[in-house]
Amino acid sequence: MSANNLSPIGHVILGMLSLGIRTGYDIKQSVDRSTRFFLAASYGQIYPELKKLEDAGLIRGEDDPQGGRQRRAYDLTAEGRAVLDGWLADTDVSTYELRDLALLKLFFSDAARPDQRAALARAAAERHERMLAALEEVEAWVGDVPDPGMRFEVLKFGLDCHRWYVQRFKQMEQDLKEDR
Amino acid sequence: MSANNLSPIGHVILGMLSLGIRTGYDIKQSVDRSTRFFLAASYGQIYPELKKLEDAGLIRGEDDPQGGRQRRAYDLTAEGRAVLDGWLADTDVSTYELRDLALLKLFFSDAARPDQRAALARAAAERHERMLAALEEVEAWVGDVPDPGMRFEVLKFGLDCHRWYVQRFKQMEQDLKEDR
DNA sequence: ACTTCCATGTAAGTAGTTACATGATTGC
DNA sequence: GCAATCATGTAACTACTTACATGGAAGT
């Protein structure tokens, strides 16, 4: 039981259901406002995964149309809850994967002109300013939620992280402007 | 010309060739010591991409066996150099994609016991200590290279970044230990 | 002799994105 | 009436990983 061969998306779904989010559509909305900053998910992953989890008995779905509009709402089963708890109790957090075109370009930018290098660092700083703005929108939006708990802790982590990136890329920009 | 529909891996290859690295094997070695921290690449991507780039005329390959051991060495063509320069001159650095299981678990960990939450933050801090150690190895190894330029700047950025992560995850661990 | 490293490549599988199709409801 | 939103789903594609096959060279 609870052999953890579930994909990250599977765990996202279990987690979202544990927060009371019940449909594929709502899961996608929530992901786009929260986990996408550290784990994205598309409809093409979510809907097939919901079926898979139901087949595995980790979630239970029932048709729940709103008027004539079709809708399927899901709930965690006891097994699903156990799998989620087991996953959270496991401190294996080795997966940290980054794909960053700014660092890649900067890495190879000895071949570019000095002003181009500084422009890349500047563009990277602006990128994180935009991410910061997106997170600050979430922050304002979250103000209402009663006791956001760990979700809020992770949001604060994200805000601090992107603030660090902005400051560090700006520093790099200055450094690149100074020497030659 | 230089319509930039090249994959990130294509640009990694052009960049590595611009640094004087000439074979698929050496590209893989270099990637594993450098860009993998912000852009990974496997043999299954590198070798087919080398063929694609040669067909497109951006690189030129020649058989260059060492003794009886087969080997194919590549060089940038003028077009390849132009594509690389154009890519570096373009300040579009919008791609920043993160997959982080630590933040994902922490996000959903209201469902877990307080000590488990702190353990997750601790495990994340340790993860970045390991990454830091890996980067410090690279740093020692790079000491020899004459004027490592932007490669060194990006390495320093990575060191600072993971130091920040270690400190911030430790702070989170303490915060989680304190309240309740 | 054995192991590690140099070196190239591919097949099969998994993961993920994008774009589309469909249709009801709500708000202007 | 029209646009936006709610809602589900899939097909086609692209990307990526893993594991394997092959074999020479170098070091111990």
Side-chain angles (χ1 to χ4, degrees):
Chain A
M1 63 181 65
S2 112
N4 244 343
N5 45 4
L6 230 55
S7 70
I9 304 299
H11 291 115
V12 168
I13 290 176
L14 296 181
M16 287 297 180
L17 295 187
S18 83
L19 299 177
I21 284 145
R22 295 169 48 81
T23 71
Y25 183 85
D26 286 340
I27 290 170
K28 172 65 170 151
Q29 300 301 302
S30 290
V31 163
D32 285 348
R33 264 185 250 114
S34 57
T35 73
R36 96 167 138 104
F37 294 99
F38 43 88
L39 206 144
S42 67
Y43 285 125
Q45 291 171 275
I46 291 169
Y47 283 112
E49 188 72 21
L50 280 167
K51 275 192 184 154
K52 212 182 119 193
L53 291 173
E54 190 172 11
D55 289 345
L58 303 185
I59 66 179
R60 180 174 12 88
E62 66 176 317
D63 286 324
D64 181 28
Q66 304 292 296
R69 184 195 278 163
Q70 74 172 317
R71 189 166 179 272
R72 193 167 174 81
Y74 294 89
D75 269 307
L76 279 182
T77 62
E79 289 113 294
R81 165 64 66 173
V83 167
L84 179 62
D85 289 345
W87 177 69
L88 289 172
D90 175 6
T91 56
D92 175 12
V93 290
S94 48
T95 296
Y96 173 88
E97 286 163 31
L98 182 60
R99 284 173 70 87
D100 182 347
L101 269 250
L103 289 177
L104 188 68
K105 284 194 185 184
L106 284 163
F107 184 82
F108 289 122
S109 68
D110 283 319
R113 281 184 282 112
D115 63 296
Q116 289 179 335
R117 290 199 277 271
L120 286 172
R122 173 98 211 105
E126 281 162 8
R127 176 183 73 178
H128 291 285
E129 271 164 1
R130 286 192 298 277
M131 287 184 170
L132 197 49
L135 285 173
E136 277 162 351
E137 243 178 78
V138 176
E139 192 185 22
W141 194 88
V142 160
D144 311 329
V145 180
D147 185 30
M150 288 309 294
R151 265 120 73 220
F152 193 53
E153 291 303 314
V154 172
L155 174 58
K156 283 191 291 182
F157 188 101
L159 287 162
D160 287 351
C161 182
H162 290 288
R163 278 178 195 129
W164 182 86
Y165 268 120
V166 168
Q167 166 265 314
R168 187 60 178 73
F169 272 123
K170 280 185 178 169
Q171 182 200 308
M172 189 189 263
E173 189 199 0
Q174 290 312 311
D175 290 352
L176 293 176
K177 275 182 179 165
E178 273 163 36
D179 45 73
R180 93 204 85 158
Chain B
M1 64 180 64
S2 113
N4 243 342
N5 44 4
L6 230 55
S7 70
I9 303 299
H11 292 115
V12 167
I13 290 176
L14 296 182
M16 286 297 180
L17 295 189
S18 83
L19 299 177
I21 283 144
R22 296 169 48 81
T23 71
Y25 182 85
D26 285 341
I27 290 170
K28 173 63 171 154
Q29 300 300 303
S30 290
V31 163
D32 285 348
R33 264 185 251 114
S34 57
T35 74
R36 95 168 139 103
F37 294 100
F38 43 89
L39 208 145
S42 67
Y43 285 125
Q45 291 171 274
I46 292 168
Y47 284 112
E49 189 71 21
L50 281 167
K51 275 192 184 152
K52 212 182 119 193
L53 291 173
E54 189 171 11
D55 289 345
L58 304 185
I59 66 179
R60 180 174 14 88
E62 67 176 318
D63 286 322
D64 181 28
Q66 304 292 297
R69 183 196 277 163
Q70 75 171 318
R71 189 166 180 270
R72 193 168 174 82
Y74 294 89
D75 268 307
L76 280 182
T77 63
E79 288 114 292
R81 164 65 66 173
V83 167
L84 179 62
D85 289 346
W87 178 68
L88 289 172
D90 175 6
T91 56
D92 175 12
V93 289
S94 48
T95 296
Y96 173 89
E97 287 163 32
L98 181 61
R99 285 173 68 88
D100 182 347
L101 267 252
L103 290 177
L104 188 69
K105 283 194 185 185
L106 285 163
F107 184 82
F108 290 121
S109 68
D110 283 318
R113 280 184 283 111
D115 63 296
Q116 289 178 336
R117 291 199 276 271
L120 286 172
R122 173 98 210 105
E126 281 163 7
R127 175 183 74 179
H128 291 284
E129 272 164 0
R130 286 193 298 275
M131 288 184 170
L132 198 49
L135 285 172
E136 276 162 352
E137 243 178 78
V138 177
E139 193 185 23
W141 194 88
V142 160
D144 310 330
V145 180
D147 185 30
M150 288 309 293
R151 266 122 71 222
F152 193 54
E153 291 304 313
V154 172
L155 174 58
K156 283 191 292 182
F157 187 101
L159 287 162
D160 286 351
C161 182
H162 290 289
R163 277 178 196 130
W164 181 86
Y165 268 119
V166 169
Q167 167 265 313
R168 186 60 177 74
F169 273 124
K170 279 185 178 171
Q171 182 201 309
M172 189 190 263
E173 189 200 0
Q174 290 312 311
D175 291 351
L176 293 176
K177 276 181 178 167
E178 272 163 38
D179 44 73
R180 96 204 81 159

